[in-house]
Amino acid sequence: MVGETQTLGSAPVASAAGAPAIPDFEIVPMKALPIVGIVVAALVVAIEYNRLWPLEFFHIVGGGMWTAIDLFVGFIIGPILGRLSIQARIEFLIRFMPKMVLLMPTLVTMTLVAGWQLANYTGDIAVAYPDHWWLTASYAVVGVMSVIAIGILEPANLAVLFELKKPRPDAELIGKLMRRFVYTAGITGAMQVATLVIMTRIATW
Amino acid sequence: MVTEQRERDLPPVSELAIATMILVVIGGTFIAGHVPKHVPLLLPSILLAAACVLLIANLFLLSRVTAFSWSTFRLVFSRSLAGYGVIAGLLTYVFIRGDIPNDVMAFLAAMLLIFALDIPLLFAFSVARYQPAESGAQR
C-alpha cells in the first residue's frame, strides 16, 4: 500500500506509509440513548395531550433541524469532506457519523408523527383538492427522501463505520461508500428546498 | 478485488430491499394522500402484495447464502429492528389516533410492519456483506 494512490471520499489522496491511525469509537453512542428515550416519551405525551403548542413544537423543531442538517451536510460538510486528507476524514467520520445514526431517525420521527397529529388538530388534513396537493406533495417528497436516506445513505454510513472498526480497513471500499454518502447527502439537501417551499405554503394558507 | 468478488457472489438483497421500500412508500403516500376521504384500496392491495412477495423472496435468497458474516448480520439486524420497530410503532399509534377507518388502518399497519422488517434487513446485509465471511454452519 505504500506510495499507492487511494480514494477515500471524492478526491484521490496518497496514502502515507502504514495504515491511518483510527481512534476507538462507538458505532451507536450509548450515552445518547436515554436522551432519545426522553424525546420519544415526550412526543407520546404531546400526542396524548393533543394541544397546538406541543404539537407545533415537535413538528417545527424536528422539521427545522432535519431540513437544516440535511442542507448543511449536503452542501457544506459533504464537499469539504471530499477534500480532506484520509486521516482528517477518519477523525471527522468516527465522531460525526455515530451521532447521525441516532440524531436523524429521532428528528424524522418527531417531525412526521407530530406533523400528522398537527394536521389532524388544525384540520389541514381534511382540506379539499387542489389545496390538498400541497400535503400530498409533502408526503411524496418525504417518501423520496426516505428511500434515498434509509435505502442508500444510511447503509453506506453503517458499512463505513464497521469497516473502520477493522484492524486494516479497506480504503477503496470506504472511498466508494463515502462517494455515495456525499452524493446522496447533496440530493436530500436539494430535496429539502422543496420541503421548505411546501411547508411555508401550507403554513400561510 | 476481493470485495468485488464477494459482491458478485451475493444475491441482490439490497436492491430487492430498496424495491420493497419503494413499494411501501408509494402505498403509504397514496393512502395518506386520500385520508380522511374514501381511500380506494386496489392500488395499495397490489403494492402491499408485491412488497410481501419481494420481502419473502429476499429472505429466501438470503437464506441460501452460505459464506456470510451471520454474527454481524444478527447484531445489526437486532439493533435496527429495535430502532425501526419503535419508529413504525409510533407511526401506527398516531395513525390510530387519527380516526382512520379499520380497513385502511390494516393496510397502513401491514405496510409499516414490512417497513420495520425490510429496513433492518437492508442495514444488516449492507454491513455484513463487507465483513469476513463465516461458514454456513456458524449461522
Side-chain angles (χ1 to χ4, degrees):
Chain A
M1 302 281 263
V2 179
E4 188 181 320
T5 299
Q6 299 174 324
T7 48
L8 185 65
S10 56
V13 283
S15 71
I22 302 172
D24 193 27
F25 66 98
E26 277 186 318
I27 291 172
V28 177
M30 302 306 278
K31 282 180 191 164
L33 279 177
I35 299 169
V36 174
I38 290 167
V39 170
V40 169
L43 178 62
V44 172
V45 171
I47 289 162
E48 279 300 315
Y49 186 57
N50 198 29
R51 296 287 187 280
L52 185 61
W53 184 31
L55 294 176
E56 285 271 16
F57 176 84
F58 275 102
H59 185 61
I60 302 296
V61 170
M65 289 176 70
W66 176 14
T67 301
I69 290 171
D70 268 2
L71 285 168
F72 190 73
V73 171
F75 296 127
I76 308 289
I77 299 287
I80 291 172
L81 200 58
R83 292 175 178 82
L84 294 178
S85 67
I86 286 184
Q87 188 63 46
R89 267 177 251 185
I90 289 171
E91 297 269 354
F92 178 81
L93 289 178
I94 62 169
R95 287 168 179 82
F96 175 74
M97 283 185 165
K99 291 177 178 64
M100 297 294 275
V101 167
L102 279 187
L103 179 64
M104 294 315 286
T106 306
L107 290 178
V108 171
T109 306
M110 265 173 71
T111 309
L112 299 185
V113 171
W116 185 265
Q117 187 66 16
L118 180 64
N120 274 297
Y121 181 90
T122 58
D124 281 342
I125 203 161
V127 74
Y129 282 96
D131 282 343
H132 201 93
W133 279 117
W134 289 99
L135 291 175
T136 305
S138 76
Y139 307 147
V141 169
V142 166
V144 174
M145 283 197 299
S146 303
V147 170
I148 294 168
I150 301 175
I152 302 169
L153 195 147
E154 195 57 32
N157 284 359
L158 289 172
V160 166
L161 289 172
F162 274 81
E163 190 64 30
L164 286 170
K165 280 282 186 187
K166 287 180 182 171
R168 292 186 63 83
D170 182 341
E172 187 188 357
L173 173 64
I174 294 172
K176 186 177 115 181
L177 295 171
M178 281 309 300
R179 274 193 297 280
R180 201 186 294 177
F181 170 83
V182 170
Y183 292 135
T184 51
I187 294 167
T188 52
M191 293 204 69
Q192 287 288 8
V193 176
T195 304
L196 289 173
V197 172
I198 293 166
M199 288 298 146
T200 49
R201 179 71 189 92
I202 291 172
T204 51
W205 270 345
Chain B
M1 288 300 296
V2 176
T3 301
E4 286 165 3
Q5 178 63 45
R6 211 185 306 154
E7 286 185 25
R8 273 198 297 272
D9 293 343
L10 291 169
V13 173
S14 295
E15 291 80 355
L16 287 174
I18 292 171
T20 306
M21 192 180 159
I22 289 170
L23 293 174
V24 167
V25 164
I26 293 171
T29 304
F30 181 84
I31 291 174
H34 282 81
V35 168
K37 305 270 187 328
H38 169 71
V39 182
L41 290 175
L42 177 62
L43 180 64
S45 304
I46 294 166
L47 293 168
L48 183 61
C52 278
V53 168
L54 278 186
L55 182 62
I56 291 166
N58 216 357
L59 292 171
F60 174 74
L61 286 174
L62 187 61
S63 71
R64 311 269 296 171
V65 176
T66 48
F68 194 58
S69 180
W70 289 106
S71 58
T72 307
F73 181 88
R74 278 194 299 270
L75 175 74
V76 178
F77 185 85
S78 59
R79 304 284 169 92
S80 308
L81 185 63
Y84 280 84
V86 170
I87 293 171
L90 279 168
L91 286 168
T92 306
Y93 161 66
V94 80
F95 287 143
I96 288 171
R97 276 199 54 110
D99 295 332
I100 292 176
N102 287 344
D103 55 342
V104 178
M105 191 59 234
F107 274 88
L108 281 174
M111 285 176 175
L112 284 167
L113 177 64
I114 291 175
F115 173 83
L117 292 171
D118 186 57
I119 303 307
L121 173 68
L122 173 63
F123 286 0
F125 180 81
S126 300
V127 171
R129 70 190 301 174
Y130 300 119
Q131 299 300 310
E134 300 152 8
S135 69
Q138 289 176 278
R139 195 179 290 191

